[in-house]
Amino acid sequence: MARNRTTVDREEKRAEILDAATDLFLTNGYEATSMTALAKAAGIATNTIYWYFDDKDALFIEVAERTFGESLAEYGAQVLPTLVDRLLWLVTVFERLNGLTATVHARARVSPSISTWHDDFHATADRWLIHQARQHLAAGANHTPPPTDEQLAAIPRIWSYAIEGMVVHQLSDRERRQVCETLVRQLDAL
Amino acid sequence: MARNRTTVDREEKRAEILDAATDLFLTNGYEATSMTALAKAAGIATNTIYWYFDDKDALFIEVAERTFGESLAEYGAQVLPTLVDRLLWLVTVFERLNGLTATVHARARVSPSISTWHDDFHATADRWLIHQARQHLAAGANHTPPPTDEQLAAIPRIWSYAIEGMVVHQLSDRERRQVCETLVRQLDAL
DNA sequence: ACCTGAACACCGTTCAAGT
DNA sequence: ACCTGAACACCGTTCAAGT
């Protein structure tokens, strides 16, 4: 029916704009990408973007969500035996987003939409990290006594801040491994 | 002599502009502060700023340097007996810079001047943090064997990323203390 | 419903002209 | 040497007008 046909077309057009935005945001950064340049890459007038998206921030959120989604899908297809490997993999996921991590933190202070998205993102990330920590500790089983929930509470924060910091400060592979190994060694020693 | 008189006047005028910039950057943020608003606050024409400073980034660097300098001066006048207290104090120093930490990371990707300043800043911070860690370990003296340099190498990075993360993500006092206590407990356990 | 040309209210920065 | 009015080349966003 016509209703359905239209909906499909709309999604296709949205996807085209998102493709261009993803490409430009990841290669040139958010601030360096103007709506005009984005429209030109998508082959439409600048203001047409506003018929499909609320504003530039909304575009950014969808780009970030899409990129993270793709990365998480790849995770299932991989074998990352150790916790150190899994943390290092997370760093590469964030690195793919290039300067977007710094952009999120800067824009979260002025944009309510990006701020709430950022909060949700960290809530999800924290759950994943605490799960990884528990799994790692259970596999080791060489500690007496096991750390309490209270003691583990700060772990996902320290880890996510470390991951963001490594990406933002562009550490080398060697330095990253050193940091991740220290993080895991410190968890074991807790 | 006239030479000297002129130099003094110039420094005074620079200081006036810096006062206005510090006030506006810290309360409204870097991006939200336009050169026009800044000029109005300083009581001069917008383009006059460019006779005293290269560009907006140069202004930012001087504001950041000045604010950190003042905070470090206060450090000497305080008594912070434990390492946890010292880390928590560092968080409040960064917090005073409001959203400027996120701005530094975002601008460092596009501005060479801010990038090199940022690198220098972290080099200094790393030396201070590693000194604090060593001092703390020496005071405790209840570990066998003491951690090697290799093992301590990642500590200043983990700490500075955690401090930046706590400020950027606006943790509560309680959460901050929890993170800092965990960081120190993990150092002791190393 | 979809798309656009033109305009709006900005932005950081430059430059010729003043004193 | 110091300061400015006016302009430059942008920016994200809006809106009336088209189809």
Side-chain angles (χ1 to χ4, degrees):
Chain A
M1 40 193 127
R3 176 86 159 78
N4 218 347
R5 178 91 166 80
T6 309
T7 310
V8 169
D9 285 356
R10 183 172 173 82
E11 286 311 307
E12 267 176 20
K13 204 67 192 278
R14 271 179 64 93
E16 276 175 36
I17 297 172
L18 273 177
D19 283 342
T22 305
D23 180 34
L24 290 173
F25 284 174
L26 295 198
T27 56
N28 302 333
Y30 179 80
E31 299 204 319
T33 303
S34 71
M35 296 297 268
T36 307
L38 212 162
K40 194 172 289 182
I44 53 175
T46 306
N47 41 7
T48 302
I49 300 174
Y50 290 88
W51 199 83
Y52 291 94
F53 300 92
D54 278 354
D55 50 23
K56 202 183 176 188
D57 283 339
L59 213 34
F60 174 85
I61 290 174
E62 294 217 35
V63 166
E65 220 144 37
R66 175 201 256 225
T67 312
F68 273 111
E70 284 172 10
S71 297
L72 292 179
E74 284 174 27
Y75 177 74
Q78 271 177 331
V79 184
L80 298 169
T82 72
L83 179 54
V84 171
D85 287 331
R86 279 189 274 259
L87 291 178
L88 282 170
W89 168 80
L90 249 191
V91 178
T92 66
V93 169
F94 275 75
E95 196 185 31
R96 178 189 304 189
L97 296 197
N98 224 339
L100 267 49
T101 304
T103 300
V104 171
H105 293 152
R107 298 264 342 131
R109 306 207 136 245
V110 291
S111 161
S113 59
I114 291 204
S115 178
T116 59
W117 175 79
H118 179 231
D119 289 343
D120 290 350
F121 177 82
H122 271 283
T124 309
D126 278 9
R127 276 192 298 273
W128 192 81
L129 288 170
I130 198 84
H131 173 74
Q132 295 298 326
R134 285 235 169 74
Q135 193 170 302
H136 170 83
L137 289 172
N142 55 344
H143 36 75
T144 39
T148 63
D149 284 6
E150 173 76 12
Q151 283 175 316
L152 279 180
I155 294 293
R157 284 200 230 273
I158 292 171
W159 286 4
S160 60
Y161 300 161
I163 288 164
E164 288 178 347
M166 285 186 269
V167 173
V168 166
H169 296 84
Q170 315 202 60
L171 292 210
S172 68
D173 285 354
R174 220 192 139 273
E175 292 167 323
R176 284 184 202 171
R177 180 164 284 279
Q178 197 174 45
V179 168
C180 289
E181 283 172 354
T182 304
L183 287 173
V184 173
R185 195 182 316 125
Q186 288 185 325
L187 174 68
D188 286 327
L190 209 70
Chain B
M1 38 192 130
R3 175 87 160 78
N4 217 347
R5 177 89 168 80
T6 309
T7 309
V8 168
D9 283 359
R10 183 172 174 82
E11 285 312 308
E12 266 175 20
K13 203 67 191 278
R14 272 179 65 93
E16 276 175 36
I17 298 172
L18 273 177
D19 283 342
T22 305
D23 180 34
L24 290 173
F25 285 173
L26 295 198
T27 55
N28 303 332
Y30 180 80
E31 300 204 317
T33 303
S34 70
M35 294 298 268
T36 307
L38 212 162
K40 195 172 288 182
I44 52 176
T46 306
N47 42 5
T48 302
I49 300 174
Y50 290 87
W51 199 82
Y52 293 93
F53 300 91
D54 278 354
D55 51 23
K56 203 184 177 186
D57 282 340
L59 212 35
F60 174 84
I61 289 173
E62 294 216 35
V63 166
E65 220 144 37
R66 174 201 258 226
T67 313
F68 273 112
E70 284 172 10
S71 297
L72 292 180
E74 285 174 26
Y75 178 73
Q78 271 179 329
V79 184
L80 299 169
T82 73
L83 179 54
V84 171
D85 288 330
R86 279 188 275 259
L87 290 178
L88 281 170
W89 168 79
L90 250 189
V91 178
T92 66
V93 169
F94 274 76
E95 196 185 32
R96 178 190 305 191
L97 297 197
N98 226 337
L100 267 47
T101 305
T103 300
V104 170
H105 292 152
R107 297 269 337 134
R109 308 205 134 245
V110 291
S111 161
S113 59
I114 291 203
S115 178
T116 59
W117 175 79
H118 179 232
D119 290 343
D120 290 351
F121 178 82
H122 270 283
T124 308
D126 278 9
R127 276 193 299 274
W128 191 82
L129 289 170
I130 198 84
H131 173 74
Q132 295 298 326
R134 286 235 169 74
Q135 192 171 302
H136 170 84
L137 289 172
N142 55 345
H143 36 76
T144 40
T148 64
D149 284 6
E150 173 77 12
Q151 283 176 316
L152 280 179
I155 295 294
R157 283 200 232 273
I158 292 171
W159 286 4
S160 59
Y161 300 161
I163 289 164
E164 288 177 346
M166 283 186 270
V167 173
V168 166
H169 297 83
Q170 315 201 63
L171 292 210
S172 68
D173 285 354
R174 220 192 139 274
E175 292 167 322
R176 285 184 200 171
R177 179 164 285 279
Q178 197 173 44
V179 169
C180 289
E181 282 173 353
T182 304
L183 286 173
V184 173
R185 195 183 315 123
Q186 287 185 325
L187 174 68
D188 287 328
L190 208 69

